[in-house]
Amino acid sequence: MGAALTRYRVIAWIVGVALILLVVIGMPMKYGFDNPIVVETVGQAHGFLYMVYLLAAFDLSRRAEWPLKRMLLVMLAGTVPFVSFYAERRVTGWLDRPAERTPEPVAS
């Protein structure tokens, strides 16, 4: 599951940065300065990368055996600026705590 988590973490950051570029730089340039070049390029890239994000999130959720609600919430995190970063940290926290998932036997 480590490789699936790494793939998810990388694509979550890439999608998050692309969405921030689109919203913070591209949208003001398009509507404020009538220059849609950033929206046209970054928007298409974000759309494609979001599909990759969905595949990575689905793969990770299948391997981690998450409930449907958790999987959908993680998938939606790529649509709101800055939320993909939060979701990536939460997902990493959920999966990087093996001691909490399976307690070690106590030696006597």
Side-chain angles (χ1 to χ4, degrees):
M1 185 170 12
L5 178 60
T6 301
R7 283 190 300 270
Y8 168 77
R9 292 182 71 190
V10 168
I11 196 65
W13 273 89
I14 293 170
V15 166
V17 169
L19 185 57
I20 290 170
L21 287 174
L22 186 62
V23 172
V24 174
I25 296 171
M27 299 302 275
M29 282 183 65
K30 179 178 180 178
Y31 295 109
F33 301 104
D34 199 29
N35 186 353
I37 190 70
V38 175
V39 171
E40 291 171 354
T41 55
V42 177
Q44 288 183 2
H46 173 71
F48 174 75
L49 292 169
Y50 182 68
M51 295 301 147
V52 175
Y53 173 84
L54 290 176
L55 291 173
F58 176 76
D59 180 47
L60 184 61
S61 67
R62 183 182 55 83
R63 292 171 192 262
E65 299 176 355
W66 290 343
L68 180 63
K69 182 179 177 182
R70 178 179 286 182
M71 179 185 72
L72 291 175
L73 288 173
V74 170
M75 287 179 163
L76 286 173
T79 62
V80 180
F82 300 101
V83 176
S84 67
F85 304 122
Y86 173 76
E88 183 269 330
R89 293 310 312 153
R90 290 292 304 259
V91 166
T92 301
W94 292 330
L95 298 178
D96 274 351
R97 296 184 190 146
E100 292 179 14
R101 288 183 294 173
T102 53
E104 295 291 323
V106 178
S108 31

